[in-house]
Amino acid sequence: MKKHNFSAGPCILPQEVFEKAAQAVLNLDDSGLSILEISHRSEAFIAVMEEARALVLELMELDSKQYEVLFLQGGASMEFLRVPYNLLAKNQTAAYLETGNWASLAIAEARAFGTVAIVGSSKNHNYNYIPKDYAIPDDAAYFHCTSNNTIYGTQMHEFPATTIPVVCDMSSDIFSRVMDYSNFDLIYAGAQKNMGPAGVTLIVVKKDILGKTNRKIPNILNYEQHIAAKSMYNTPAVFPIYTSLLNLKWLKNKGGLAQMEKENQEKAALLYAEIDNNPLFEGTAKKEDRSLMNVTFVLKNNAQTEKFSEICNNKGISGIIGHRSVGGYRASIYNAMPVESVQILVDAMQELQVLYK
Ligand SMILES: *Cc1c(COP(=O)(O)O)cnc(C)c1O
């Protein structure tokens, strides 16, 4: 039986994408070759790469004269250092918003290149909210934020207006909502949360912010080198890029970001309503900052944990155990998660409630 997969990442993808990817492993578009064995310099793969790069800009409604799209390796964690390497000169300061563990890892990497100013932090409350009313120094090299905090279940619903470049780690809510993406100068996301399989990172960068640090940057870490090589400086992650393209096409056919956002709001509303109405459970993130992607909650009484696990197992619910730093449960309800699966989780929570009436 196919399970209801609430894993935070690597995560669920649409069944249709799994099937098409599986077919391409056996025989790519009737070519008699597997996607796994063709050259990344072949016409077939260059077409995949170019279609994927163009579709990213189309979905984000970004101008191809200003923005470049790269599919690189190393995960979002590599961008924690590639960003300051390319954007932060030794004598400069970068402003960071500290909203979770991923943000603090990004901060630690940036400190190797220049000065970091933490302009806001929710660390003192185990990152259960998004800091507001912080000031960004206008001489900062850039402002870095994390749009969705995968571990803590918080999400930025507003972004600061600033004249300095804005860099955003969108790993866990990329392509989940309509936004004015032109407010960002560099967006990055590890594919495996909401875009595709593990092994590739999406980077969308505004060209005019690059090349300003006067630092010698090793080619493999230099965004400008990758742009010049059309994201083929070295062998790209062929299969994760192909599968990400399948997923982006699925998304576009469904109605694009507007349709995705509508469904994501419905799914999140359904689950949060149960968390708020069911007396056995409570949410861990501050309500106004709740994530539409990762829903974190706990059982008020630990003695009911075993029973709840049993009910969830019986229903084929998988991957809802919370991150060790928060505990409890985390239901990741990314783009590909059907509302029917969210309803099954809600049913499980109600079944537990009936038992302890
Ligand atoms: C998972 C995650 C990362 C780390 O991604 P890797 O691809 O494993 O390096 C970074 N930021 C956020 C917000 C994440 O959810």
Side-chain angles (χ1 to χ4, degrees), residues 8 74-78 80 102-103 146-151 169-172 188-193 200-201 334:
S77 302
M78 178 68 93
F80 295 166
W102 297 118
T146 314
S147 53
N148 185 72
N149 298 281
T150 327
I151 296 174
D169 176 357
M170 292 195 190
S171 292
S172 51
Y188 63 90
Q192 72 276 13
K193 304 281 173 31
V200 73
T201 316
Y334 296 120

Side-chain angles (χ1 to χ4, degrees), residues 27 29 36 62 68 82 86 106 122 154-155 159 169 175 193 203 251 310 324:
N27 184 0
D29 297 333
L36 302 182
L62 289 173
E68 289 283 347
R82 194 148 35 196
N86 283 262
S122 49
T154 62
Q155 189 171 26
F159 292 85
D169 176 357
F175 300 120
K193 304 281 173 31
I203 294 129
L251 202 157
E310 187 188 314
R324 61 193 176 279

Side-chain angles (χ1 to χ4, degrees), residues 47-342:
V48 166
M49 178 64 103
E50 288 313 308
E51 188 179 359
R53 294 174 81 207
L55 188 47
V56 166
L57 293 182
E58 183 188 328
L59 289 168
M60 291 184 169
E61 295 182 36
L62 289 173
D63 181 355
S64 62
K65 288 189 202 72
Q66 292 181 47
Y67 286 88
E68 289 283 347
V69 177
L70 300 172
F71 289 97
L72 304 183
Q73 296 180 54
S77 302
M78 178 68 93
E79 302 321 302
F80 295 166
L81 75 95
R82 194 148 35 196
V83 163
Y85 218 142
N86 283 262
L87 302 182
L88 180 60
K90 187 91 201 135
N91 60 353
Q92 284 184 310
T93 297
Y96 275 73
L97 191 60
E98 191 185 32
T99 53
N101 187 46
W102 297 118
S104 54
L105 290 171
I107 289 165
E109 297 288 42
R111 286 198 166 121
F113 298 92
T115 304
V116 170
I118 299 178
V119 294
S121 174
S122 49
K123 190 173 183 177
N124 57 343
H125 287 98
N126 200 28
Y127 303 115
N128 72 352
Y129 71 100
I130 303 287
K132 320 259 172 11
D133 299 326
Y134 47 88
I136 303 170
D138 26 78
D139 60 345
Y142 60 85
F143 167 68
H144 180 285
C145 59
T146 314
S147 53
N148 185 72
N149 298 281
T150 327
I151 296 174
Y152 310 90
T154 62
Q155 189 171 26
M156 293 176 76
H157 299 299
E158 270 171 41
F159 292 85
T162 171
T163 52
I164 67 167
V166 175
V167 177
C168 189
D169 176 357
M170 292 195 190
S171 292
S172 51
D173 65 354
I174 190 90
F175 300 120
S176 69
R177 54 178 162 169
V178 176
M179 288 201 289
D180 185 350
Y181 289 90
S182 70
N183 287 332
F184 299 90
D185 297 81
L186 193 153
I187 294 165
Y188 63 90
Q192 72 276 13
K193 304 281 173 31
N194 205 25
M195 189 180 79
V200 73
T201 316
L202 171 67
I203 294 129
V204 182
V205 58
K206 203 171 185 178
K207 276 176 281 191
D208 68 10
I209 66 168
L210 299 173
K212 297 190 171 165
T213 62
N214 277 328
R215 177 185 283 125
K216 171 87 189 96
I217 304 171
N219 288 345
I220 194 77
L221 294 176
N222 189 336
Y223 291 125
E224 291 187 303
Q225 288 289 341
H226 288 287
I227 290 169
K230 300 190 156 94
S231 200
M232 295 251 205
Y233 174 74
N234 65 328
T235 314
V238 170
F239 187 61
I241 294 168
Y242 179 76
T243 309
S244 296
L245 173 59
L246 292 177
N247 191 40
L248 294 178
K249 284 177 157 171
W250 169 85
L251 202 157
K252 183 183 166 179
N253 288 339
K254 242 177 122 66
L257 297 188
Q259 177 62 22
M260 224 57 264
E261 173 172 322
K262 184 171 161 275
E263 291 180 21
N264 286 332
Q265 276 173 353
E266 283 165 10
K267 288 182 286 178
L270 175 65
L271 187 48
Y272 282 121
E274 183 60 26
I275 289 168
D276 292 339
N277 296 331
N278 188 321
L280 306 188
F281 293 94
E282 73 186 334
T284 61
K286 195 169 169 189
K287 277 190 188 173
E288 66 187 34
D289 300 322
R290 280 174 165 177
S291 167
L292 301 191
M293 297 278 98
N294 311 97
V295 178
T296 51
F297 57 101
V298 294
L299 262 173
K300 290 180 193 163
N301 181 352
N302 274 333
Q304 297 162 357
T305 305
E306 215 172 303
K307 193 72 210 169
F308 187 52
S309 297
E310 187 188 314
I311 295 172
C312 287
N313 285 339
N314 289 340
K315 291 185 181 297
I317 291 169
S318 169
I320 59 161
I321 298 303
H323 190 273
R324 61 193 176 279
S325 57
V326 179
Y329 303 95
R330 168 176 54 176
S332 298
I333 51 176
Y334 296 120
N335 286 350
M337 169 66 63
V339 66
E340 291 77 15
S341 292
V342 178

